[in-house]
Amino acid sequence: MSIIRLQRIFVFTLVLFGLLLASCAVGQTISSITPSNVAAGSGGFVLTVYGNDFDADSVVRLHSPSGVQTLQTYFVNAGLLMAGVTAIEVKNAGNLEVDVATYSTTSSSNLVTLQVTGSGSGSSSGSSGSSSGSGSGSSSGSGSSSGSGSSSGSGGSASCYGCAPSEGGSGSSSGSGSSSGSGSSSGSSGSSSGGSTTSPAGSSLLVTVTSPAANSSVNGSVTIAATAAKMSTTDGSIYSWAIFDGSDLLWVDENPDPSISANLALSAGAHSLRVVAYDDSFTGSTATVPVTATASGMTTTWNACIYTQNGEQYQAMQISPSQTLTGVLQSQMFWGPNCNPTQWTDQLNDVGQTMTFGAGSSWTYWFIHRADTPNVSAVWTMGNQSSGCVNYSTAPPCN
């Protein structure tokens, strides 16, 4: 065999080897993390990871002498992940390596260093995302892209994000700045028979609530199931949904769904549940169902506040569950102070990712696309817990 042939085979082998390496190349990359250093022994905190090509399957991993720890990861968008780090994982000084892995594609990112310095309690703060990309998820509503930020406190007794169920304490801010009312829908309940309640005659849409039955008793939590249909006398189609407790907005669905099923916790006592379907002219059709809660199902304290970072103010919520809370954290923002569903402007977390908040912990999230905009309101939900309508023009500072 000639030397030239051997050289060609050698070159071909190198090219083939390079292609094999390329097929295993990392997809996602980390550009920076915040914080990049924390004090050993500090309480749980959020690690904010900036980079490229993240997706809903991406997880943040912590490499320590004891092994690789996969952190509870919250996907914001392709350029931003947030992960909870507990006090146990940073109890000793030293350097820890961080990467992002996507098991579905068996790929991992570059490694970056998280420095754990000295001993003692220190504080670390999360950072809001700056990427404007939006997750598609399950939301089909129009408008601006979603996004959130998060923050943490120091030690085991302060407000923290990323706490394990046994860590953290109550939130450090107070006041929810709640307001009531949406002037966009009206009308009394229509007929109630066979366990269902309908919107009154003449409504743009026929709203039928099949659960709960009118004047029924519920044990702290109620499943609200309803359908909406086009009336023969109108040409409007379903645009969105809202559920009120009296005049206080509890829940929103910004999708043209023909039916809804929402599980909501109620305080003990009498309630007037108004289920509203809006058509594409933003006209609401309402079915009203009175119920009585024999016990309270409220296990979460919601404190609306304004979070300041780099001189900008963001609409935030401190969430403090007294029992373990699992669900999809979402928030719907509206122009004006009264949570009018027809004035919807933004949604936090449209990717539908389930999270778990431990009992006794306190987590802070904020919108990242409406900085320095105080004249807005929002409704926050997770699991069956709802903040009700909060007014950010009167919300206090977070810290």
Side-chain angles (χ1 to χ4, degrees):
M1 183 180 295
S2 68
I3 293 178
I4 294 177
R5 181 178 176 85
L6 286 173
Q7 287 176 333
R8 288 177 177 173
I9 293 174
F10 180 69
V11 170
F12 175 78
T13 302
L14 289 177
V15 171
L16 179 62
F17 182 68
L19 290 174
L20 290 173
L21 286 178
S23 67
C24 299
V26 298
Q28 59 272 54
T29 58
I30 299 176
S31 58
S32 64
I33 60 174
T34 300
S36 58
N37 62 82
V38 295
S42 60
F45 64 94
V46 65
L47 184 68
T48 307
V49 181
Y50 298 95
N52 299 288
D53 299 322
F54 303 145
D55 60 32
D57 294 326
S58 297
V59 293
V60 179
R61 301 188 304 184
L62 200 62
H63 298 253
S64 68
S66 59
V68 179
Q69 176 70 35
T70 299
L71 306 178
Q72 178 172 308
T73 302
Y74 173 58
F75 171 75
V76 179
N77 54 47
L80 177 62
L81 300 173
M82 290 178 288
V85 181
T86 67
I88 296 175
E89 290 151 347
V90 292
K91 65 180 179 179
N92 298 318
N95 290 335
L96 301 175
E97 300 297 330
V98 177
D99 72 352
V100 174
T102 303
Y103 295 122
S104 60
T105 58
T106 63
S107 63
S108 60
S109 72
N110 56 305
L111 292 168
V112 295
T113 300
L114 173 64
Q115 186 178 19
V116 184
T117 59
S119 61
S121 176
S123 65
S124 60
S125 63
S127 170
S128 69
S130 59
S131 172
S132 60
S134 65
S136 57
S138 59
S139 172
S140 61
S142 62
S144 61
S145 61
S146 69
S148 70
S150 63
S151 70
S152 66
S154 62
S157 62
S159 168
C160 64
Y161 170 99
C163 295
S166 61
E167 298 176 298
S170 61
S172 58
S173 71
S174 62
S176 63
S178 64
S179 66
S180 63
S182 169
S184 61
S185 63
S186 62
S188 61
S189 172
S191 62
S192 176
S193 62
S196 63
T197 303
T198 62
S199 54
S203 300
S204 295
L205 298 169
L206 174 61
V207 179
T208 303
V209 178
T210 56
S211 171
N215 301 307
S216 61
S217 294
V218 298
N219 187 24
S221 181
V222 60
T223 298
I224 302 170
T227 61
K230 184 177 176 179
M231 303 287 282
S232 60
T233 57
T234 62
D235 58 1
S237 58
I238 303 166
Y239 184 82
S240 62
W241 290 83
I243 298 175
F244 296 83
D245 183 4
S247 59
D248 191 22
L249 181 63
L250 299 183
W251 183 89
V252 175
D253 174 20
E254 288 292 332
N255 296 287
D257 296 320
S259 63
I260 59 168
S261 180
N263 185 27
L264 294 172
L266 301 174
S267 59
H271 298 268
S272 178
L273 301 177
R274 298 196 302 117
V275 182
V276 186
Y278 296 91
D279 65 18
D280 48 18
S281 67
F282 303 110
T283 301
S285 300
T286 305
T288 303
V289 184
V291 298
T292 299
T294 57
S296 177
M298 307 296 288
T299 62
T300 302
T301 300
W302 304 84
N303 290 317
C305 57
I306 299 296
Y307 182 81
T308 301
Q309 184 181 55
N310 298 326
E312 294 187 308
Q313 294 185 322
Y314 299 89
Q315 306 85 3
M317 179 65 76
Q318 291 182 330
I319 307 160
S320 304
S322 59
Q323 299 178 15
T324 298
L325 177 62
T326 297
V328 178
L329 174 64
Q330 289 193 321
S331 182
Q332 309 290 341
M333 181 186 288
F334 312 92
W335 295 118
N338 297 321
C339 295
N340 185 336
T342 65
Q343 294 179 331
W344 180 87
T345 178
D346 200 5
Q347 176 175 268
L348 180 143
N349 186 11
D350 59 359
V351 298
Q353 182 176 357
T354 299
M355 304 176 69
T356 297
F357 294 169
S361 63
S362 186
W363 305 59
T364 300
Y365 278 82
W366 66 86
F367 284 89
I368 63 174
H369 292 298
R370 294 290 183 269
D372 301 321
T373 309
N375 190 30
V376 294
S377 50
V379 169
W380 296 70
T381 58
M382 183 171 178
N384 70 346
Q385 303 290 302
S386 171
S387 68
C389 180
V390 295
N391 178 5
Y392 280 103
S393 63
T394 60
C398 293
N399 44 25

